[in-house]
Amino acid sequence: NAGVMQNPRHLVRRRGQEARLRCSPVKGHSHVYWYRQLPEEGLKFMVYLQKENIIDESGMPKERFSAEFPKEGPSILRIQQVVRGDSAAYFCASSPPGRTVHGYTFGSGTRLTVV
Amino acid sequence: AQSVAQPEDQVNVAEGNPLTVKCTYSVSGNPYLFWYVQYPNRGLQFLLKYITGDNLVKGSYGFEAEFNKSQTSFHLKKPSALVSDSALYFCAANDMRFGAGTRLTVKP
């Protein structure tokens, strides 16, 4: 019974390149959430998705960042034209419907380093 | 809007002593409250949650939390701290926006 799977665990990109982070939720979970954690800081909510729908993207930067959760396959967080300030750990979490009751299951994160 | 606050960035305790990590909340409607722990270079792990019922909630690794409606608090506690409890602890409320986290350090 696999948990939330994120890949890659570590990702190095040069400034200006694109970063694609993948998240496969717990089997049966239809809700996915992305968070960003800067070194020595808390978790910042980015986006909440259900299959084929963005429910809440209030935490997403207006430019260069996008997220999707297609009908088939993992959720993708995409960062275009990365800058050094994008270096962080990105965590994905999933839940069944009714997140307020069940809480989340987290993945181990993708650590993005922009050089 | 829902929010939680963790007033302490850092908590230091000696091994064997009781520990408390504080969390206060502000939610509309019934509060659903959660505690998670993050070990270095890992994702968050669920510790416990309060949905309804007894104000004292027991969770993983010997942790418990007390829901106090009048003080709008949900403090995490453990009677006897272990060095291995040293980690980053996060409180969350209904919409799963997390507090800033509290770094717990347990010294031998």
Side-chain angles (χ1 to χ4, degrees):
Chain A
N1 190 14
V4 175
M5 304 301 293
Q6 288 188 251
N7 66 81
R9 288 294 303 273
H10 300 275
L11 181 62
V12 179
R13 284 288 177 267
R14 296 188 183 278
R15 281 177 295 172
Q17 290 184 321
E18 179 180 287
R20 292 170 69 89
L21 287 61
R22 295 174 184 77
C23 169
S24 297
V26 172
K27 187 176 181 180
H29 284 190
S30 56
H31 298 209
V32 165
Y33 316 84
W34 286 93
Y35 291 82
R36 177 165 62 178
Q37 186 177 36
L38 295 169
E40 300 302 315
E41 291 193 13
L43 283 171
K44 299 295 185 184
F45 168 80
M46 298 182 75
V47 63
Y48 162 31
L49 310 109
Q50 295 179 19
K51 287 280 186 180
E52 300 184 282
N53 283 307
I54 297 174
I55 306 302
D56 180 354
E57 57 181 347
S58 58
M60 288 279 271
K62 299 297 182 195
E63 298 176 347
R64 302 188 297 107
F65 284 72
S66 62
E68 63 177 5
F69 187 19
K71 187 177 181 181
E72 301 291 337
S75 175
I76 305 289
L77 179 67
R78 182 181 177 203
I79 311 172
Q80 295 177 294
Q81 299 174 334
V82 295
V83 301
R84 287 213 170 123
D86 297 333
S87 296
Y90 292 83
F91 290 97
C92 172
S94 73
S95 78
R99 59 176 175 158
T100 55
V101 175
H102 297 290
Y104 295 176
T105 302
F106 278 84
S108 296
T110 294
R111 280 153 185 81
L112 173 65
T113 302
V114 180
V115 298
Chain B
Q2 331 279 5
S3 67
V4 295
Q6 293 180 243
E8 300 160 318
D9 294 335
Q10 174 92 29
V11 171
N12 298 314
V13 299
E15 188 175 30
N17 283 1
L19 69 87
T20 299
V21 183
K22 296 180 180 177
C23 174
T24 58
Y25 66 89
S26 174
V27 304
S28 54
N30 295 323
Y32 302 137
L33 301 163
F34 303 83
W35 275 103
Y36 286 80
V37 59
Q38 184 182 31
Y39 297 103
N41 298 314
R42 302 286 295 275
L44 273 67
Q45 297 179 32
F46 171 81
L47 277 180
L48 51 79
K49 66 181 179 183
Y50 171 83
I51 304 299
T52 186
D54 290 341
N55 290 342
L56 187 63
V57 179
K58 295 189 181 297
S60 306
Y61 312 121
F63 283 93
E64 57 190 28
E66 185 171 10
F67 172 69
N68 188 316
K69 188 174 182 178
S70 63
Q71 297 185 4
T72 61
S73 67
F74 189 57
H75 300 333
L76 182 69
K77 300 181 180 183
K78 188 172 183 179
S80 178
L82 301 172
V83 173
S84 58
D85 292 329
S86 298
L88 195 54
Y89 290 81
F90 290 97
C91 179
N94 299 34
D95 66 352
M96 298 307 286
R97 277 163 169 80
F98 287 81
T102 299
R103 184 165 298 283
L104 172 68
T105 301
V106 181
K107 298 185 178 178

